Amino acid sequence: DTAVSQTPKYLVTQMGNDKSIKCEQNLGHDTMYWYKQDSKKFLKIMFSYNNKELIINETVPNRFSPKSPDKAHLNLHINSLELGDSAVYFCASSQLGSNIQYFGAGTRLSVL
Amino acid sequence: EDQVTQSPEALRLQEGESSSLNCSYTVSGLRGLFWYRQDPGKGPEFLFTLYSAGEEKEKERLKATLTKKESFLHITAPKPEDSATYLCAVQTGTASKLTFGTGTRLQVTL
Protein backbone atom coordinates (compact mmCIF):
# COMPACT_ATOMS: atom_id res chain seq x y z
CA ASP A 1 0.00 0.00 0.00
CA THR A 2 1.35 3.40 -1.03
CA ALA A 3 1.67 5.69 2.00
CA VAL A 4 1.40 9.02 0.15
CA SER A 5 -0.18 8.81 -3.27
CA GLN A 6 -0.57 11.54 -5.88
CA THR A 7 -2.63 11.62 -9.05
CA PRO A 8 -1.97 12.07 -11.83
CA LYS A 9 1.71 11.13 -12.19
CA TYR A 10 2.01 13.11 -15.42
CA LEU A 11 0.01 16.13 -16.52
CA VAL A 12 0.47 17.84 -19.89
CA THR A 13 -1.69 20.86 -20.59
CA GLN A 14 -1.90 24.12 -22.48
CA MET A 15 -1.19 27.59 -21.12
CA GLY A 16 -4.25 29.21 -19.60
CA ASN A 17 -5.92 25.96 -18.54
CA ASP A 18 -6.97 25.09 -14.98
CA LYS A 19 -5.82 21.79 -13.48
CA SER A 20 -5.87 19.93 -10.17
CA ILE A 21 -3.49 17.48 -8.52
CA LYS A 22 -4.78 15.17 -5.79
CA CYS A 23 -2.93 13.78 -2.79
CA GLU A 24 -3.96 11.20 -0.24
CA GLN A 25 -2.05 9.72 2.69
CA ASN A 26 -2.96 6.58 4.63
CA LEU A 27 -0.40 7.05 7.41
CA GLY A 28 -2.81 8.72 9.82
CA HIS A 29 -0.71 11.91 9.77
CA ASP A 30 -2.23 15.26 10.64
CA THR A 31 0.01 17.55 8.58
CA MET A 32 0.33 17.64 4.79
CA TYR A 33 2.47 19.69 2.42
CA TRP A 34 2.92 20.71 -1.20
CA TYR A 35 6.41 21.23 -2.60
CA LYS A 36 7.58 22.34 -6.04
CA GLN A 37 10.78 20.92 -7.57
CA ASP A 38 12.10 22.92 -10.50
CA SER A 39 14.25 21.80 -13.41
CA LYS A 40 17.41 22.24 -11.31
CA LYS A 41 15.97 19.83 -8.73
CA PHE A 42 15.49 22.56 -6.12
CA LEU A 43 12.69 21.54 -3.78
CA LYS A 44 10.71 24.41 -2.25
CA ILE A 45 7.74 24.35 0.07
CA MET A 46 4.52 25.94 -1.12
CA PHE A 47 1.83 25.14 1.47
CA SER A 48 1.22 23.15 4.61
CA TYR A 49 -2.03 22.11 6.29
CA ASN A 50 -2.46 20.79 9.82
CA ASN A 51 -5.85 19.17 10.51
CA LYS A 52 -7.35 20.98 7.53
CA GLU A 53 -5.98 24.37 8.66
CA LEU A 54 -3.44 26.28 6.54
CA ILE A 55 -0.25 26.78 8.59
CA ILE A 56 2.40 27.52 5.94
CA ASN A 57 1.73 29.67 2.91
CA GLU A 58 4.91 30.66 1.11
CA THR A 59 5.10 33.33 -1.56
CA VAL A 60 3.09 31.52 -4.18
CA PRO A 61 0.90 33.16 -6.88
CA ASN A 62 -2.81 33.36 -6.05
CA ARG A 63 -3.42 31.06 -9.01
CA PHE A 64 -2.39 28.20 -6.73
CA SER A 65 -5.04 27.19 -4.22
CA PRO A 66 -4.71 24.22 -1.88
CA LYS A 67 -7.79 22.51 -0.50
CA SER A 68 -7.95 20.01 2.34
CA PRO A 69 -11.35 18.26 2.57
CA ASP A 70 -10.08 16.13 5.46
CA LYS A 71 -6.75 15.50 7.13
CA ALA A 72 -5.94 12.58 4.80
CA HIS A 73 -6.30 14.63 1.61
CA LEU A 74 -4.65 17.77 0.28
CA ASN A 75 -5.39 18.81 -3.27
CA LEU A 76 -3.73 21.52 -5.32
CA HIS A 77 -5.70 23.52 -7.85
CA ILE A 78 -3.89 25.73 -10.34
CA ASN A 79 -5.70 28.38 -12.40
CA SER A 80 -4.54 29.98 -15.64
CA LEU A 81 -1.45 27.81 -16.02
CA GLU A 82 1.76 29.49 -17.20
CA LEU A 83 4.91 28.08 -18.79
CA GLY A 84 6.83 28.72 -15.55
CA ASP A 85 4.51 26.40 -13.66
CA SER A 86 6.15 23.43 -15.36
CA ALA A 87 7.83 21.43 -12.60
CA VAL A 88 7.41 18.34 -10.47
CA TYR A 89 4.98 18.83 -7.58
CA PHE A 90 5.39 16.68 -4.48
CA CYS A 91 2.93 16.06 -1.73
CA ALA A 92 4.22 15.05 1.72
CA SER A 93 2.82 14.28 5.14
CA SER A 94 4.06 14.13 8.71
CA GLN A 95 2.78 13.64 12.22
CA LEU A 96 2.93 16.77 14.36
CA GLY A 97 5.81 16.36 16.79
CA SER A 98 7.70 13.92 14.54
CA ASN A 99 8.85 16.34 11.81
CA ILE A 100 9.83 13.46 9.50
CA GLN A 101 8.06 14.09 6.22
CA TYR A 102 7.04 11.27 3.88
CA PHE A 103 6.81 12.17 0.22
CA GLY A 104 4.67 11.00 -2.65
CA ALA A 105 6.16 10.01 -6.01
CA GLY A 106 5.45 13.42 -7.55
CA THR A 107 3.35 14.84 -10.37
CA ARG A 108 5.26 16.06 -13.40
CA LEU A 109 3.39 19.05 -14.82
CA SER A 110 4.27 20.24 -18.32
CA VAL A 111 2.66 23.45 -19.57
CA LEU A 112 2.90 23.92 -23.35
CA GLU B 1 16.39 33.83 5.49
CA ASP B 2 17.51 30.22 6.00
CA GLN B 3 20.13 29.05 3.51
CA VAL B 4 21.34 25.54 2.75
CA THR B 5 24.25 24.84 0.40
CA GLN B 6 25.31 21.37 -0.67
CA SER B 7 28.58 20.33 -2.26
CA PRO B 8 29.70 18.91 -4.51
CA GLU B 9 26.85 19.28 -6.99
CA ALA B 10 27.76 15.91 -8.50
CA LEU B 11 30.09 13.13 -7.42
CA ARG B 12 31.19 10.05 -9.26
CA LEU B 13 32.77 7.23 -7.23
CA GLN B 14 33.96 3.76 -7.99
CA GLU B 15 32.46 0.94 -6.00
CA GLY B 16 34.27 0.77 -2.65
CA GLU B 17 35.65 4.32 -2.88
CA SER B 18 34.53 6.13 0.30
CA SER B 19 33.72 9.84 0.31
CA SER B 20 31.71 12.57 2.02
CA LEU B 21 28.96 14.94 0.98
CA ASN B 22 28.74 18.36 2.58
CA CYS B 23 25.74 20.41 3.68
CA SER B 24 26.47 23.86 5.10
CA TYR B 25 23.68 25.96 6.55
CA THR B 26 22.94 29.47 7.79
CA VAL B 27 19.82 29.56 9.92
CA SER B 28 18.43 31.21 13.00
CA GLY B 29 17.48 28.53 15.48
CA LEU B 30 18.05 25.09 14.02
CA ARG B 31 15.39 22.61 15.14
CA GLY B 32 16.66 19.74 13.04
CA LEU B 33 18.78 18.82 10.02
CA PHE B 34 17.44 16.13 7.70
CA TRP B 35 19.03 13.97 5.03
CA TYR B 36 16.89 12.50 2.29
CA ARG B 37 17.67 10.28 -0.69
CA GLN B 38 15.91 10.82 -4.01
CA ASP B 39 15.93 8.31 -6.86
CA PRO B 40 15.03 9.42 -10.41
CA GLY B 41 11.28 9.74 -10.87
CA LYS B 42 10.56 9.27 -7.16
CA GLY B 43 9.93 11.38 -4.11
CA PRO B 44 12.57 12.03 -1.44
CA GLU B 45 13.01 9.19 1.05
CA PHE B 46 13.92 10.00 4.64
CA LEU B 47 17.35 8.87 5.88
CA PHE B 48 18.35 10.73 9.06
CA THR B 49 17.50 13.55 11.42
CA LEU B 50 20.18 15.29 13.50
CA TYR B 51 19.28 17.74 16.23
CA SER B 52 22.43 18.98 17.92
CA ALA B 53 26.12 19.55 17.18
CA GLY B 54 28.17 16.44 17.77
CA GLU B 55 25.32 14.07 17.00
CA GLU B 56 25.95 11.15 14.61
CA LYS B 57 23.60 8.63 13.02
CA GLU B 58 24.40 5.54 10.95
CA LYS B 59 22.51 3.33 8.56
CA GLU B 60 24.30 0.61 6.60
CA ARG B 61 27.05 2.37 4.58
CA LEU B 62 25.85 5.88 5.48
CA LYS B 63 26.84 8.00 8.46
CA ALA B 64 25.59 11.53 9.09
CA THR B 65 27.32 14.01 11.38
CA LEU B 66 26.44 17.53 12.50
CA THR B 67 28.39 20.61 13.61
CA LYS B 68 27.12 24.11 14.30
CA LYS B 69 27.65 25.13 10.67
CA GLU B 70 27.48 22.00 8.56
CA SER B 71 26.59 18.38 8.23
CA PHE B 72 28.42 15.59 6.44
CA LEU B 73 27.04 12.44 4.91
CA HIS B 74 29.86 9.89 4.85
CA ILE B 75 29.51 6.98 2.45
CA THR B 76 31.74 4.03 3.24
CA ALA B 77 32.53 1.48 0.52
CA PRO B 78 29.61 2.56 -1.67
CA LYS B 79 27.79 0.22 -4.03
CA PRO B 80 26.06 1.03 -7.32
CA GLU B 81 22.67 0.91 -5.54
CA ASP B 82 23.75 3.94 -3.50
CA SER B 83 23.54 6.03 -6.67
CA ALA B 84 20.93 8.74 -6.10
CA THR B 85 20.57 12.43 -5.30
CA TYR B 86 21.12 13.17 -1.62
CA LEU B 87 19.20 16.13 -0.24
CA CYS B 88 19.88 18.03 2.96
CA ALA B 89 17.17 20.11 4.65
CA VAL B 90 16.91 22.26 7.76
CA GLN B 91 13.94 22.91 9.96
CA THR B 92 13.57 26.16 11.89
CA GLY B 93 10.72 27.97 13.59
CA THR B 94 7.59 26.43 15.06
CA ALA B 95 6.00 25.22 11.83
CA SER B 96 7.21 22.02 10.20
CA LYS B 97 8.73 23.82 7.23
CA LEU B 98 11.81 22.24 5.61
CA THR B 99 14.29 24.33 3.62
CA PHE B 100 16.17 22.12 1.19
CA GLY B 101 19.56 22.38 -0.45
CA THR B 102 19.94 21.68 -4.16
CA GLY B 103 21.32 18.21 -3.56
CA THR B 104 24.37 16.14 -4.49
CA ARG B 105 23.94 13.76 -7.38
CA LEU B 106 25.96 10.63 -6.56
CA GLN B 107 26.90 8.03 -9.13
CA VAL B 108 28.68 4.85 -8.05
CA THR B 109 30.19 2.76 -10.82
CA LEU B 110 31.54 -0.79 -10.88
Side-chain angles (χ1 to χ4, degrees), chain A residues 27-84:
Chain A
L27 296 168
H29 290 164
D30 54 15
T31 307
M32 296 184 72
Y33 313 79
W34 277 110
Y35 285 85
K36 178 180 179 180
Q37 189 169 48
D38 61 23
S39 57
K40 295 186 177 179
K41 305 297 183 187
F42 182 55
L43 195 62
K44 187 171 171 59
I45 186 143
M46 300 172 69
F47 302 104
S48 175
Y49 271 74
N50 176 254
N51 280 323
K52 302 195 296 175
E53 182 182 344
L54 183 66
I55 57 171
I56 296 175
N57 185 356
E58 293 294 289
T59 308
V60 175
N62 291 336
R63 298 181 296 103
F64 289 80
S65 53
K67 286 194 170 43
S68 182
D70 56 61
K71 71 175 192 178
H73 296 83
L74 181 62
N75 303 323
L76 184 65
H77 188 77
I78 315 170
N79 289 328
S80 304
L81 278 156
E82 299 178 357
L83 293 176

Side-chain angles (χ1 to χ4, degrees), chain B:
Chain B
E1 188 176 323
D2 299 337
Q3 287 196 332
V4 181
T5 304
Q6 291 188 246
S7 61
E9 193 174 308
L11 181 62
R12 186 176 173 134
L13 300 173
Q14 287 201 313
E15 185 175 14
E17 180 186 0
S18 302
S19 188
S20 296
L21 313 183
N22 177 264
C23 171
S24 62
Y25 59 91
T26 305
V27 301
S28 52
L30 179 72
R31 294 185 61 214
L33 185 137
F34 297 75
W35 282 97
Y36 281 81
R37 169 190 170 131
Q38 186 175 20
D39 291 296
K42 295 190 177 180
E45 179 186 342
F46 171 76
L47 292 173
F48 303 109
T49 311
L50 302 166
Y51 293 104
S52 56
E55 190 175 357
E56 298 182 352
K57 294 240 175 113
E58 281 188 74
K59 180 181 177 180
E60 296 180 355
R61 294 175 294 281
L62 300 177
K63 178 179 171 181
T65 61
L66 181 66
T67 71
K68 289 187 178 179
K69 294 185 201 176
E70 58 192 348
S71 176
F72 291 93
L73 185 66
H74 307 278
I75 303 177
T76 302
K79 297 183 177 182
E81 52 262 42
D82 295 322
S83 298
T85 295
Y86 290 85
L87 298 169
C88 167
V90 295
Q91 188 172 57
T92 60
T94 53
S96 302
K97 171 184 164 181
L98 288 180
T99 300
F100 280 86
T102 49
T104 293
R105 195 169 60 254
L106 174 66
Q107 184 181 13
V108 183
T109 58
L110 292 170

